[in-house]
Amino acid sequence: SNFDFDFDLPSIEMPNFGASNYFIDDIKKIQNNMNLDHTMRVIVLGLIAYKGIGGRFWSISPSSFTNLGSFAKHSVSLPATDAYATQSQRKIIERMGKLAGCHTCGDHMITSRGFNGVKFIADHMPPQSVVKQMNSRWYRKIFGIKVKQRFFPQCLKCSRIQGSILGNAVQKASSSRLMKSKIHNLAKSGGGKNAYNHGLKLRREYLAGGIISAATVWSANERDIGRDSQRRFKKWQYQIEEKVM
């Protein structure tokens, strides 16, 4: 036989997830803002640490052999003319090189014997051939603008490489002049693929990362490191602001 069942099922009220979704979105926005603020604090602290231990943003890029090297400092140089360095100037440059290193590669030549006791030469910057080409430009001739040079300490190895690069570049420039084609720019010949890449050379500025790590874990428990490092950096920010303001 057939049975007909007539039931009135109770109505079930579905929970409203809309409000909770908005709440979750707001929490995510707050978390993202907190993460961004924390990232900025870490970046600023890293920059302060990098500069504080003598780092320079100029020294990050590879060194050109025909321009000032990444380790060049104006305070570690001497005024120069188109003449070779005098004996007294060479002695000063030698001492500068031992203290500050080669302006191109940064080497202090501690383990090197040098040549006849000489480890560093007085390097014209810009180099002589580069200056000659620059001074030959029409606007410098008309207005009498001469390129100024200075002596910077350069190790013997970098000096030999520089001489080889400029020798080849001068030959190309001479050939271009004879062929009446575009003249090779000598100032750019020491850069690009010919530049000295010092990224793997150990330098004290690289300790900036260690300073950040130390600032994160110093006198901190596991919970501080795992969850509350943001709070620590924020606290330091407020302390610095109070002292500055």
Side-chain angles (χ1 to χ4, degrees):
S1 60
N2 296 328
F3 297 93
D4 294 329
F5 295 94
D6 188 10
F7 289 103
D8 290 331
L9 295 175
S11 60
I12 300 175
E13 185 175 353
M14 299 297 293
N16 183 8
F17 291 104
S20 61
N21 287 336
Y22 285 123
F23 181 68
I24 293 173
D25 290 340
D26 289 340
I27 292 177
K28 289 181 178 180
K29 290 180 181 178
I30 294 173
Q31 289 177 339
N32 290 335
N33 290 333
M34 291 176 62
N35 291 335
L36 179 60
D37 292 342
H38 179 62
T39 301
M40 293 304 298
R41 292 188 189 101
V42 173
I43 291 174
V44 171
L45 181 59
L47 294 176
I48 293 174
Y50 181 79
K51 293 293 291 183
I53 55 181
R56 297 180 305 142
F57 302 117
W58 169 267
S59 64
I60 297 175
S61 60
S63 290
S64 170
F65 284 97
T66 49
N67 279 293
L68 285 179
S70 299
F71 301 90
K73 294 180 180 179
H74 189 271
S75 59
V76 188
S77 66
L78 294 175
T81 63
D82 56 356
Y84 288 110
T86 64
Q87 186 175 359
S88 60
Q89 287 176 324
R90 289 197 295 268
K91 288 181 178 180
I92 295 173
I93 288 294
E94 182 74 20
R95 290 197 296 268
M96 286 180 172
K98 290 178 179 178
L99 290 174
C102 171
H103 82 93
T104 304
C105 69
D107 197 345
H108 291 254
M109 303 292 286
I110 297 174
T111 59
S112 174
R113 295 181 180 180
F115 180 74
N116 291 335
V118 176
K119 296 183 179 181
F120 296 92
I121 58 100
D123 182 33
H124 273 101
M125 272 291 125
Q128 295 283 55
S129 55
V130 174
V131 169
K132 185 177 179 180
Q133 186 183 64
M134 294 174 69
N135 285 336
S136 66
R137 292 170 181 167
W138 64 269
Y139 62 89
R140 289 188 179 275
K141 288 183 176 180
I142 292 176
F143 297 104
I145 303 173
K146 298 288 186 180
V147 178
K148 295 182 179 180
Q149 295 173 284
R150 293 188 71 86
F151 287 127
F152 287 85
Q154 188 178 52
C155 69
L156 299 179
K157 180 180 179 181
C158 288
S159 178
R160 286 193 292 268
I161 296 174
Q162 181 194 73
S164 176
I165 292 173
L166 281 173
N168 293 330
V170 169
Q171 287 184 356
K172 289 182 180 179
S174 299
S175 299
S176 299
R177 192 177 293 107
L178 292 174
M179 298 296 293
K180 295 183 179 181
S181 57
K182 186 177 179 180
I183 298 177
H184 188 69
N185 191 336
L186 298 180
K188 296 181 179 180
S189 60
K193 63 180 181 180
N194 290 328
Y196 179 84
N197 190 348
H198 51 77
L200 298 179
K201 183 180 289 292
L202 184 62
R203 293 151 65 187
R204 63 183 179 182
E205 295 93 304
Y206 294 164
L207 295 175
I211 293 175
I212 298 297
S213 301
T216 304
V217 303
W218 183 264
S219 68
N221 55 39
E222 185 176 353
R223 184 174 181 273
D224 288 332
I225 299 173
R227 297 181 179 180
D228 291 345
S229 62
Q230 294 184 2
R231 188 178 304 172
R232 289 164 58 86
F233 278 85
K234 189 175 183 180
K235 179 182 177 181
W236 293 332
Q237 176 189 343
Y238 290 155
Q239 291 175 346
I240 294 173
E241 288 178 350
E242 288 178 358
K243 293 181 179 180
V244 173
M245 302 299 291

